[in-house]
Amino acid sequence: MKKIDIIQLVGIYIILTSLSYAFYIVFVAVGANEEIASSLLSWTSTMFATIALLYTFNSWREQKGSEVIANEAKDLIKDITQNISILGDIIYEYSNLTIKNENVISNLLNCKKLELEIHRKIYFIENTIVFYDLDKLYKDFDYKNSSIIDNLEFRINKNDFKEYERYRPLLIEKYIALCKLSDDLIKKLSIYSLYQRPIKFKNNKSA
């Protein structure tokens, strides 16, 4: 439970106790049944216990929500890192594309799968919490990532090694730019994966 919640609970308890005690004094002064007057104190304890339970439940719910976001952010970082690594292998290591290497085709398919996973997880986070700059950063990343994958697939399927070698310097330039975007995206996600910033849910208060 957060410090602000504890302070609020203490304030609520003081208010409830003061009100019940004030009503108790009034009831006793006007000659009301003492059992009824005394029951006000019991009512205070019951009300406070109910309110405290609600606060505890909300705190637990927000904490679990933060854990879900942290886990999604960690998975995203893993997917982005793996995607960059696979693309780097294809661009730098598989130079002879005149032969359709099965590893190259398999790696491209893995990149496409990762692309879908990254999109799904980004969509979930975007629609769950307030995450400034994520939309623009991800769109830039997705555009460059898709462009590299599509171009690699086109040239591998075309099976023209000479054309690929001519295009390779530009591809490397695009890859370096993608790595920079990936680093920026990972830095943003790391803040939430390591609980370094309070999470503000779109349909709830900050956690």
Side-chain angles (χ1 to χ4, degrees), residues 159-175:
N159 209 22
D160 188 338
F161 178 67
K162 289 183 178 179
E163 183 181 340
Y164 172 77
E165 281 299 299
R166 287 195 298 270
Y167 179 73
R168 197 164 179 239
L170 180 59
L171 195 60
I172 291 173
E173 186 180 322
K174 288 184 176 183
Y175 176 73

Side-chain angles (χ1 to χ4, degrees), residues 51-67:
I51 293 169
L53 183 62
L54 288 172
Y55 265 80
T56 302
F57 172 74
N58 285 334
S59 178
W60 173 83
R61 185 178 61 181
E62 291 176 350
Q63 182 181 353
K64 295 304 290 184
S66 297
E67 289 176 9

